[in-house]
Amino acid sequence: MNLKLLQPIVREYLLEHLHVNAASFLLKSHPFEGISPQELTQQLVGLQKARLKFEPLFINDQVIFPPKVNLEQTSSWSTATYKANLFHGEKMIDLTGGFGIDTSAFAKAYTNTTHIELNKDLQRLAKQLFTAQELTTKSYAGDGLQYLIESTSIYDLIYIDPSRKTDTKSKAIQLEDYEPNVIKNLDLLLSKGKKVMIKTSPMLDITAGLKQLKNVCAIHIIAVKNDVKELLWILEKDVNEVIIHCVNLESQQPDLILNHGDTASIELSEPLDYLYEPNAAIMKSQAFGHLCETYGVSKIDQDAHLFTGKKSTDFPGRTFIIEEVKAYKPKDIKRTYAKSHRAVVTRNFRESVHQLRTKYQLKEHETDYLFFTSSMGKPIVIQAKKL
């Protein structure tokens, strides 16, 4: 870790070159002794990513950023803050701390926080990150599970984010392929933590995860701006039910909360006055019956995953007012909409968005939409305006 990177003149220089491509910046000649072009470029990339992903670190001039790959693997500031706001207490430990973004957020909710990271270089940078934020977090380089075995403490929260990129597989999909293997270490985790929080890829199947992870009391499906970023599994010793939370951060959309064991029937209806498109977190949950019951809406078709109703509601997704509904007859669609400006969405339709745009020469639009979908088993086109 090169502390010369913290000089104000270096910071000012990096900010002046913030919009420069990293590859070309690396090849430039820079006016600093004792700082290599590689080190300087690493900080430039860090600032570029921090401005979008974790702004509090962008404005903190005492942060030294790790390589790009570590920044891509870490949580965003909004997801880290969401996790930290779920619980609070005395002691928490992050067993796979990485650069320390999650631990930084947890440090505001727990009196004593401990950060463990196997990679010594990354751990040193995380320690500097805690110093930069004036946090009292303890940080150690080593194996988090081994640290837990040797620890005599009982933690209010144990957090673990096992790696999906392993030695044996370039990108692990199954939970048993993650490193460390949380399935094999569940008894250890539950014996040392009052609560255990496990972060996994959004690609993990929820039903499969519930079968493999015991003592799950809650699952948080976390999306950011309609892009599911992670699944969060909460484990406790005594569990009576599993609550699923569907959240879409950095939006004004309400959360959808349901009991995994509850069943709700799906209502079907032809398109009415309003069209609703669930956000990505709800699409991941597949809780469509609960959505119908909670918001008084109906599905337009069993496989279309679009909903309709007669009144506007604070829906967890996008809302549109329906202007016209047409049976899908290509000649009629071409006569009505060809060469117009329309956003295009397909749901349960045999042609892709690209094919339809080409076929009808449709140009983009921000609020005027065409939904190529199905209702009651028949292909239709819904003309709608986004609210």
Side-chain angles (χ1 to χ4, degrees):
M1 182 170 59
N2 190 347
L3 294 179
K4 290 183 178 180
L5 291 165
L6 297 177
Q7 297 174 91
I9 192 172
V10 175
R11 169 83 175 189
E12 184 179 345
Y13 182 80
L14 289 169
L15 291 175
E16 289 173 356
H17 292 81
L18 194 60
H19 300 289
V20 176
N21 175 271
S24 60
F25 184 80
L26 179 63
L27 299 175
K28 289 179 177 290
S29 175
H30 305 291
F32 304 111
E33 290 186 10
I35 301 176
S36 71
Q38 289 79 9
E39 289 174 315
L40 206 58
T41 303
Q42 182 171 305
Q43 296 315 296
L44 178 69
V45 171
L47 284 169
Q48 290 171 339
K49 289 201 169 289
R51 192 169 67 149
L52 301 174
K53 196 172 180 180
F54 13 77
E55 188 177 3
L57 305 193
F58 174 76
I59 61 178
N60 190 322
D61 61 8
Q62 294 301 299
V63 175
I64 299 178
F65 293 100
K68 179 181 177 182
V69 63
N70 299 122
L71 292 176
E72 290 174 341
Q73 291 172 356
T74 193
S75 299
S76 68
W77 195 258
S78 60
T79 59
T81 302
Y82 175 84
K83 283 176 278 196
N85 287 337
L86 293 177
F87 311 111
H88 64 275
E90 177 68 20
K91 289 184 179 182
M92 79 78 55
I93 185 169
D94 187 342
L95 300 180
T96 53
F99 181 45
I101 299 295
D102 285 319
T103 316
S104 296
F106 282 123
K108 296 175 176 62
Y110 290 84
T111 308
N112 299 298
T113 50
T114 303
H115 167 275
I116 312 294
E117 169 53 41
L118 191 60
N119 183 311
K120 292 181 180 180
D121 292 335
L122 190 56
Q123 182 268 332
R124 281 193 286 267
L125 291 172
K127 195 170 184 178
Q128 172 62 28
L129 174 65
F130 304 141
T131 300
Q133 298 173 93
E134 299 182 347
L135 300 175
T136 57
T137 298
K138 301 180 184 68
S139 180
Y140 304 104
D143 184 310
L145 289 174
Q146 188 59 41
Y147 183 94
L148 197 62
I149 290 170
E150 296 172 2
S151 173
T152 58
S153 296
I154 299 297
Y155 295 91
D156 294 301
L157 177 69
I158 295 174
Y159 177 70
I160 184 167
D161 176 11
S163 175
R164 272 81 78 188
K165 291 186 177 181
T166 69
D167 293 336
T168 55
K169 295 178 181 290
S170 58
K171 195 169 186 180
I173 302 297
Q174 304 299 322
L175 192 55
E176 58 267 27
D177 296 325
Y178 284 34
E179 292 181 358
N181 189 323
V182 292
I183 300 173
K184 289 183 178 179
N185 290 282
L186 281 178
D187 289 339
L188 169 65
L189 295 170
L190 288 166
S191 70
K192 292 296 185 79
K194 296 176 183 178
K195 284 184 173 64
V196 177
M197 185 183 293
I198 303 173
K199 172 185 168 181
T200 70
S201 162
M203 298 300 292
L204 185 66
D205 181 75
I206 290 176
T207 302
L210 282 170
K211 288 180 180 178
Q212 293 179 297
L213 294 172
K214 58 186 179 181
N215 295 79
V216 177
C217 65
I219 304 169
H220 295 256
I221 306 173
I222 305 175
V224 179
K225 295 180 179 178
N226 207 36
D227 182 11
V228 180
K229 296 296 185 181
E230 57 191 69
L231 301 182
L232 206 60
W233 306 76
I234 312 300
L235 283 60
E236 293 181 354
K237 292 183 179 71
D238 299 316
V239 176
N240 297 314
E241 58 185 4
V242 181
I243 305 299
I244 297 180
H245 302 253
C246 305
V247 301
N248 189 21
L249 302 179
E250 299 182 34
S251 79
Q252 300 301 312
Q253 296 171 10
D255 300 348
L256 181 70
I257 303 173
L258 62 141
N259 189 315
H260 179 70
D262 289 349
T263 57
S265 59
I266 295 175
E267 300 290 334
L268 295 178
S269 169
E270 293 180 343
L272 300 171
D273 296 333
Y274 292 90
L275 188 70
Y276 303 101
E277 182 185 44
N279 65 42
I282 292 171
M283 292 296 291
K284 174 67 179 179
S285 76
Q286 298 285 290
F288 301 132
H290 192 83
L291 199 63
C292 290
E293 189 176 88
T294 303
Y295 291 94
V297 297
S298 302
K299 220 167 181 234
I300 66 170
D301 208 353
Q302 190 65 40
D303 299 317
H305 305 330
L306 290 169
F307 296 77
T308 191
K310 285 192 173 183
K311 61 180 181 179
S312 180
T313 182
D314 186 17
F315 189 79
R318 298 196 296 179
T319 300
F320 304 81
I321 187 163
I322 296 175
E323 297 176 324
E324 190 171 5
V325 180
K326 287 177 172 287
Y328 181 64
K329 297 178 181 179
K331 288 184 179 179
D332 183 28
I333 299 303
K334 185 174 183 179
R335 185 168 50 251
T336 307
Y337 299 114
K339 299 182 179 180
S340 65
H341 288 74
R342 305 276 178 179
V344 176
V345 177
T346 60
R347 291 288 185 273
N348 193 40
F349 203 79
R350 62 178 179 268
E351 296 175 80
S352 69
V353 170
H354 177 72
Q355 288 172 326
L356 291 166
R357 283 205 167 280
T358 302
K359 186 175 184 177
Y360 299 112
Q361 298 176 273
L362 296 167
K363 299 176 177 63
E364 288 287 356
H365 200 276
E366 289 188 3
T367 58
D368 295 344
Y369 278 70
L370 291 179
F371 286 84
F372 291 80
T373 183
S374 62
S375 180
M376 302 305 182
K378 297 179 181 179
I380 61 169
V381 177
I382 302 174
Q383 176 186 332
K385 184 176 287 291
K386 181 182 175 184
L387 297 181

